[in-house]
Structures are given as C-alpha cells and as structure tokens.
C-alpha cells in the first residue's frame, strides 16, 4: 500500500511537471494590459495658490501657449488666493478633481496618455513554469507634459514576471518575485 501511494505521488508530480503551456504573445499582451491598466492616463496636480507652482507654470511656457494666466504679484491680503488661472484652451486637459481639491485650489490635469508598446523579449526559465517579459510602453505627452521635472521618455522599458499556475499564466507581484529569487 505504501509503494502504491509513492507511485501515485510520483505519477502526479510527473503529470504536473509535464503540463507546460507555452507563453504566447497574445496572452502576454492581454495580461499586461489588464494588470498595468493600459491604456492609462498620467495626471498631475496643479496647486493654483502655490507660488512655487506658479513659477513652474511660468517656466514651462504654458502661459505663452495660451493655457494659463499667472498672477505675478500678490499682496499680503491675497495670500492663499489663486495665482494660476486656466483659459478655455486648457479645459480639454482637465481631469475629474475632488471637491476637497477644488476648495484648496488644486486642478488635476492630463499630462500624458500611456499605452502598451510591444513585447521586446520573453525569457522562459524554471522548466517552462516562469518567464520574464521585457516590454515597452509608449507615452504621448499633452501640452501639460511640460510640467514634468525632466523630459519623460516617449518609450519606456518594463519587466513583468510570469508564473504558470493551474489556472494558466499569471503576472507575479514584485514582492513575490523578490521572495522567489531569494529562495532560488
């Protein structure tokens, strides 16, 4: 009876070990789009009453482009009132802003759209049960993209870690990847 249970366990392990499903590009794209929410909007909060944000907006050239007007001087009695005012040309870039933010003179704007680019590389390892996928995303900046501290790359490289489970391929959480790599 003991020999039968050992044989059964070995048979199950062999069957599970042999059921490898290849990771296909279509599966990778679907999982990445779902997990990382592509296409997605990149937003930015403009603090309209903040003198530092007013300076940033002036340096970005948004006033010359007709998106905003910036009040350059402020009297002591006006502290806390908005320095940045948006023109009608800026309204298509507005995103939903909470009532609390509106009361604090904060406006959320769209600075870019980010979309899945393409699969750069798929490396299968651990007997076909794990994969590292390198992929790119493409960022299309709006006029408010000028507010970024540094020029945002148009194409960004990313890595996603896949694990073959009983339910098919799944993207692993980064903390799980770190733990797995420590034990590997």
């Amino acid at each position: 009876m003991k020999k039968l249970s050992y044989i059964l366990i070995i048979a199950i392990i062999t069957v599970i070990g042999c059921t490898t499903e290849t990771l296909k590009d279509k599966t990778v794209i679907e999982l990445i789009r779902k997990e990382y929410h592509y296409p997605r909007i990149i937003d930015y909060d403009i603090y309209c009453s903040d003198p530092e944000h007013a300076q940033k907006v002036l340096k970005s050239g948004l006033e010359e482009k007709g998106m905003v007007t910036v009040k350059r001087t402020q009297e002591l009695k006006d502290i806390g009132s908005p320095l940045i005012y948006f023109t009608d040309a800026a309204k298509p870039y507005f995103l939903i802003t909470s009532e609390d933010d509106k009361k604090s003179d904060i406006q959320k704007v769209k600075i870019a759209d980010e979309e899945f680019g393409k699969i750069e590389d798929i490396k299968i390892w651990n007997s076909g049960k794990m994969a590292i996928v390198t992929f790119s995303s493409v960022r299309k900046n709006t006029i408010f993209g000028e507010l970024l501290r540094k020029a945002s790359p148009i194409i960004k490289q990313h890595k996603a870690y896949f694990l073959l489970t009983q339910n098919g391929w799944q993207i692993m959480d980064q903390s799980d990847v770190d733990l797995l790599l420590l034990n590997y």
Side-chain angles (χ1 to χ4, degrees):
M1 190 65 150
K2 261 188 173 179
K3 286 184 181 182
L4 183 61
S5 62
Y6 287 129
I7 293 172
L8 187 60
I9 290 172
I10 291 173
I12 290 172
I13 291 172
T14 305
V15 170
I16 291 172
C18 291
T19 56
T20 58
E21 178 186 327
T22 58
L23 185 58
K24 303 206 182 325
D25 287 1
K26 182 179 177 185
T27 304
V28 169
I29 293 168
E30 286 175 10
L31 290 172
I32 287 174
R33 282 185 173 154
K34 182 179 176 186
E35 179 73 18
Y36 299 110
H37 309 290
Y38 288 118
R40 62 183 172 187
I41 294 173
I42 310 298
D43 62 18
Y44 187 81
D45 290 341
I46 297 179
Y47 295 80
C48 298
S49 301
D50 184 357
E52 288 181 26
H53 270 251
Q55 284 297 322
K56 187 182 258 190
V57 167
L58 283 171
K59 289 178 185 176
S60 71
L62 289 171
E63 189 172 46
E64 289 83 24
K65 294 175 182 170
M67 295 289 137
V68 297
T69 55
V70 179
K71 189 174 176 183
R72 286 174 170 66
T73 59
Q74 191 176 47
E75 295 180 13
L76 193 57
K77 66 178 181 169
D78 296 330
I79 291 179
S81 63
L83 298 168
I84 302 168
Y85 298 93
F86 295 95
T87 65
D88 288 339
K91 289 183 180 175
Y93 303 100
F94 284 6
L95 297 174
I96 296 171
T97 305
S98 72
E99 288 302 317
D100 288 340
D101 283 351
K102 286 179 184 178
K103 288 178 187 174
S104 299
D105 296 321
I106 299 171
Q107 177 61 54
K108 191 175 289 293
V109 295
K110 175 178 171 180
I111 59 169
D113 288 310
E114 189 172 7
E115 299 175 354
F116 175 82
K118 66 179 183 175
I119 298 169
E120 304 290 337
D121 186 37
I122 299 176
K123 291 182 182 171
I124 306 290
W125 53 292
N126 196 12
S127 302
K129 291 181 178 39
M130 298 182 80
I132 300 173
V133 175
T134 306
F135 68 96
S136 64
S137 65
V138 179
R139 181 179 275 189
K140 297 173 186 167
N141 289 342
T142 69
I143 197 162
F144 281 96
E146 301 291 326
L147 292 171
L148 296 175
R149 287 193 181 118
K150 57 183 178 180
S152 179
I154 294 172
I155 298 175
K156 282 177 76 175
Q157 298 293 318
H158 309 275
K159 284 190 178 188
Y161 299 87
F162 287 77
L163 178 65
L164 181 59
T165 66
Q166 292 176 346
N167 298 328
W169 287 98
Q170 295 181 355
I171 295 179
M172 295 171 53
D173 186 64
Q174 187 61 44
S175 60
D176 294 335
V177 171
D178 295 339
L179 184 61
L180 185 66
L181 292 176
L182 284 174
N183 293 326
Y184 190 68

